[in-house]
């Protein structure tokens, strides 16, 4: 690890898919600016480093840490605390760290059911029925593996966070803009946004950026996009009965999906000021239904077979409820 | 006494200012008895009910949520109670998906003259929620070492 006087940069992945790292590398030649302006102190996906190297660093010695991934196990949590201590600016980077994202959907299931799916279904070859042990006696001594927690948490449910950068993954042009801003701040040419702000995104909704027309049209059925014969290229998808999450989702991607005739699934998380993402969508979806009759409304709602998956695909861990009952009731069993 | 009999459910009730709040008021002035488990919050119209309020109530410790509004066709803001009806039916499905009994959420239409009916509905709801038992949603805390079950569970009573 060099000590060349440049400010230190770190990036870490907890419970995530690795897409955020790829999005960072995808910023093209701007990555060279990162290298020119920062000393990369810790970035497991890009370079070899040990936790003990980070532990040895003085507190607050890393200027900027991009933390992606949710807090799924004890290791994730320990590193979140460690990097909080060592970093001046800690960014919840991407949907997983900000709001739980897809790994957070496991918050609907008990630990036992998660283990069953991971270790004992047809896609896994596990004839001896192994399951992880947190402590295991070996001739050389006891081996420890990090404890799996019953409920996945967002980064800010574990440590204080300075900024949020939404997206699954964040769009590369947004990352590049944030990198540029931080470098400007380093050179005294700009100031940081207020603490707690969401960076690299807009303050409105995907609908606001969406080129499709809204005509306050109401619908008699919800349809799955893959079952629609022809999609009107001009009209709002929701007004065609296609469950689009644009009304509650923060803008920043440039309305990529609806522009390409696919519904927004909400990867940029809740729009500014939205306390509960799914609640906002319940209101939006209810308002396009063309019926005042309970039976008919229920028939139309059958077109949304998985409401929690539809309304909280990225946001369950960050939502007001945070988890389904089976997850927290199974607490302590592992 | 069994746990079910000693358990006093906490129910948050969102009432519309024009009909159902008056119904509740009338029940009070007419000294019609109904259980004190419901904490009423007055909204101008049931259409003001943001589903966020309901989830906030459940996540904050409520065992049940009651929504009341003017009868269909009688909303003072023309058709807002229909919008609420649609939200309500969708919200019940969301609750079900999270493993919460959808019956913990109830909608009652009541006109200003229906104090008795509203009181009866409240009494019924309290008993229904009592039968379902406490929801006990965990009061999650930041940095608590991840052990989500903060709320103490009711003690088991041995026979
Ligand atoms: S609901 Fe979807 S398709 Fe309609 S305007 Fe919003 S983002 Fe565009
Ligand atoms: S349209 Fe929605 S799902 Fe698609 S990239 Fe944008 S925020 Fe994500
Ligand atoms: S005014 Fe009573 S429900 Fe709208």
């Amino acid at each position: 690890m060099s000590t060349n006087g440049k400010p230190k940069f770190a990036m870490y992945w907890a419970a995530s898919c690795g897409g955020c790292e790829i999005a960072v590398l995808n910023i093209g030649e701007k990555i060279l600016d990162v290298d020119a302006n920062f000393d990369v102190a810790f970035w497991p996906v890009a370079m070899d480093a040990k936790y003990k190297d980070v532990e040895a660093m003085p507190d607050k010695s890393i200027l900027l840490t991009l933390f992606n991934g949710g807090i799924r196990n004890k290791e994730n949590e320990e590193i979140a605390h460690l990097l909080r201590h060592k970093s001046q600016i800690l960014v919840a980077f991407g949907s997983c760290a900000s709001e739980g994202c897809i790994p957070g959907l496991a918050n609907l299931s008990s630990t036992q059911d998660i283990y069953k799916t991971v270790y004992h279904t047809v896609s896994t070859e596990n004839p001896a029925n192994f399951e992880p042990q947190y402590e295991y006696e070996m001739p050389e001594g006891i081996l420890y593996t990090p404890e799996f927690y019953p409920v996945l948490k967002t980064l800010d449910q574990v440590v204080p966070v300075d900024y949020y950068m939404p997206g699954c993954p964040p769009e590369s042009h947004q990352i590049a803009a944030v990198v540029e801003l931080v470098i400007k701040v380093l050179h005294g040419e700009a100031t940081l946004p207020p603490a707690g702000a969401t960076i690299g995104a807009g303050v409105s909704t995907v609908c606001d950026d969406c080129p499709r027309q809204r005509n306050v049209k109401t619908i008699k059925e919800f349809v799955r996009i893959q079952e629609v014969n022809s999609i009107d290229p001009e009209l709002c998808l929701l007004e065609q009965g296609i469950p689009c999450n644009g009304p509650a989702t923060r803008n920043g991607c440039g309305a990529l999906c609806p522009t390409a005739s696919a519904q927004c699934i909400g990867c940029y998380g809740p729009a500014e000021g939205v306390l509960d993402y799914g609640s906002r969508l319940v209101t939006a979806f209810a308002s396009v239904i063309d019926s005042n009759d309970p039976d008919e409304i229920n028939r139309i709602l059958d077109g949304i077979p998985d409401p929690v998956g539809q309304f909280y695909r990225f946001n369950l861990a960050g939502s007001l409820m945070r988890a389904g009952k089976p997850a927290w009731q199974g607490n302590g069993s592992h | 006494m069994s746990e079910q009999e000693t358990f006093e459910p906490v129910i948050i009730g969102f009432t519309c200012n024009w009909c159902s709040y008056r119904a509740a008021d009338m029940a009070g002035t007419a000294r019609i008895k109904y259980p004190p488990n419901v904490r009423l919050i007055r909204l101008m119209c049931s259409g003001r009910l943001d589903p966020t309020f309901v989830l906030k109530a459940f996540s904050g410790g409520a065992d049940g949520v009651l929504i009341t509004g003017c009868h269909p066709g009688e909303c003072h803001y023309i058709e807002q109670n229909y919008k609420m009806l649609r939200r309500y039916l969708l919200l019940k499905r969301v609750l079900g998906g999270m493993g919460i009994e959808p019956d913990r959420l109830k909608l009652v239409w009541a006109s200003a003259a229906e104090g008795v009916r509203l009181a009866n509905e409240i009494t019924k709801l309290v008993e229904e929620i009592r039968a379902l038992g406490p929801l006990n949603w965990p009061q999650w805390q930041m940095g608590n070492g991840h052990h989500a079950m903060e709320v103490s569970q009711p003690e088991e009573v041995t026979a």
Side-chain angles (χ1 to χ4, degrees):
Chain A
M1 225 142 292
S2 67
T3 46
N4 51 15
K6 285 191 280 188
K8 287 185 166 50
F9 167 87
M11 184 160 187
Y12 186 71
W13 50 359
S16 62
C17 72
C20 280
E21 324 271 344
I22 294 177
V24 170
L25 295 174
N26 209 21
I27 63 178
E29 65 271 25
K30 276 249 154 48
I31 198 79
L32 299 175
D33 295 349
V34 175
D35 186 57
N37 286 279
F38 288 97
D39 169 25
V40 179
F42 178 63
W43 190 356
V45 82
M47 57 177 260
D48 185 35
K50 301 281 179 274
Y51 291 155
K52 65 172 171 27
D53 299 333
V54 183
E55 281 160 12
M57 295 175 192
D59 281 0
K60 305 271 172 236
S61 60
I62 302 171
L63 177 70
L64 176 68
T65 295
L66 305 182
F67 191 107
N68 75 78
I71 310 300
R72 176 77 273 185
N73 64 25
K74 197 157 189 263
E75 179 184 11
N76 302 153
E77 188 178 35
E78 283 174 7
I79 302 305
H81 283 289
L82 179 64
L83 287 171
R84 175 68 282 183
H85 280 119
K86 303 299 175 187
S87 313
Q88 288 176 41
I89 304 171
L90 179 66
V91 180
F93 188 87
S95 175
C96 289
S98 306
E99 52 171 350
C101 195
I102 306 297
L105 281 177
N107 281 4
L108 291 171
S109 308
S110 68
T111 301
Q112 292 91 320
D113 280 345
I114 295 171
Y115 272 37
K116 214 193 284 162
T117 305
V118 174
Y119 298 104
H120 309 292
T121 43
V122 282
S123 58
T124 309
E125 200 176 315
N126 184 9
N129 278 325
F130 285 126
E131 277 195 12
Q133 308 293 312
Y134 300 131
E135 279 184 42
Y136 194 75
E137 284 247 17
M138 296 287 285
E140 297 85 355
I142 300 174
L143 274 183
Y144 296 97
T145 52
E147 182 190 344
F148 182 88
Y149 291 141
V151 171
L152 178 138
K153 284 190 179 180
T154 64
L155 183 60
D156 71 354
Q157 288 165 2
V158 174
V159 293
V161 162
D162 298 301
Y163 299 110
Y164 300 84
M165 183 138 184
C168 177
E171 284 298 311
S172 294
H173 74 275
Q174 296 281 18
I175 302 172
V178 167
V179 166
E180 211 168 58
L181 173 76
V182 175
I183 291 171
K184 277 197 178 146
V185 171
L186 281 179
H187 296 130
E189 295 158 14
T191 48
L192 285 170
T198 294
I199 54 175
V203 290
S204 179
T205 63
V206 171
C207 288
D208 230 23
D209 289 356
C210 177
R212 289 175 175 269
Q213 268 168 31
R214 273 140 291 170
N215 299 328
V216 205
K217 205 176 145 280
T218 49
I219 54 129
K220 284 279 186 198
E221 70 174 333
F222 285 109
V223 285
R224 303 206 304 171
I225 196 159
Q226 61 271 38
E227 288 163 5
V228 182
N229 283 330
S230 75
I231 298 170
D232 185 323
E234 311 278 325
L235 184 67
C236 165
L237 295 170
L238 197 50
E239 294 185 2
Q240 300 181 55
I242 298 165
C244 181
N245 285 1
T249 306
R250 188 183 284 274
N251 61 340
C253 67
L256 281 177
C257 299
T259 306
S261 283
Q263 74 265 46
C264 170
I265 53 176
C267 81
Y268 259 69
E272 192 84 17
V274 173
L275 184 60
D276 190 79
Y277 178 78
S279 293
R280 181 61 68 92
L281 284 173
V282 166
T283 303
F285 279 45
S287 70
V288 295
I289 295 173
D290 175 21
S291 174
N292 291 336
D293 170 64
D295 293 336
E296 191 184 23
I297 295 169
N298 267 322
R299 188 192 55 72
I300 296 171
L301 291 178
D302 287 343
I304 314 271
D306 174 16
V308 178
Q310 175 69 42
F311 299 141
Y312 293 98
R313 186 184 298 206
F314 293 89
N315 188 255
L316 184 64
S319 74
L320 276 175
M321 304 308 281
R322 292 199 186 186
K325 207 167 172 179
W328 59 262
Q329 282 215 326
N331 191 17
S333 57
H334 269 283
Chain B
M1 258 202 282
S2 80
E3 178 205 314
Q4 222 93 100
E5 285 165 58
T6 51
F7 158 57
E8 284 302 337
V10 173
I11 298 171
I12 304 296
F14 296 99
T15 63
C16 144
N17 177 53
W18 299 106
C19 308
S20 42
Y21 188 83
R22 281 159 205 231
D25 211 26
M26 195 197 120
T29 42
R31 294 172 175 270
I32 301 163
K33 281 218 174 98
Y34 63 89
N37 304 63
V38 182
R39 282 73 160 160
L40 292 184
I41 296 174
R42 176 160 46 155
L43 307 174
M44 281 310 280
C45 168
S46 68
R48 174 63 182 91
L49 187 105
D50 181 333
T52 310
F53 302 170
V54 175
L55 296 187
K56 185 126 205 228
F58 282 125
S59 66
D63 301 299
V65 173
L66 169 72
I67 307 166
T68 70
C70 310
H71 282 279
E74 289 174 16
C75 171
H76 290 227
Y77 306 93
I78 306 167
E79 53 172 30
Q80 300 308 311
N81 54 356
Y82 290 121
K83 289 194 180 160
M84 207 283 305
L85 170 68
R86 290 181 228 132
R87 283 176 215 153
Y88 162 76
L89 293 173
L90 187 45
L91 202 45
K92 268 178 159 324
R93 292 169 183 242
V94 171
L95 294 176
M98 291 173 171
I100 301 168
E101 298 86 352
D103 287 347
R104 290 186 186 272
L105 177 64
K106 186 171 187 170
L107 168 66
V108 173
W109 305 129
S111 78
E114 291 177 317
V116 179
R117 220 190 102 241
L118 185 62
N120 289 340
E121 291 289 348
I122 289 178
T123 311
K124 229 166 71 195
L125 176 65
V126 171
E127 288 324 304
E128 282 163 16
I129 305 284
R130 204 192 299 280
L132 287 174
L135 181 60
N136 265 343
W137 208 256
Q139 301 304 296
W140 321 86
Q141 273 169 23
M142 189 170 111
N144 63 355
H146 234 280
H147 289 283
M149 282 275 270
E150 289 291 289
V151 176
S152 58
Q153 285 292 288
E155 270 173 46
E156 235 178 83
V157 182
T158 44

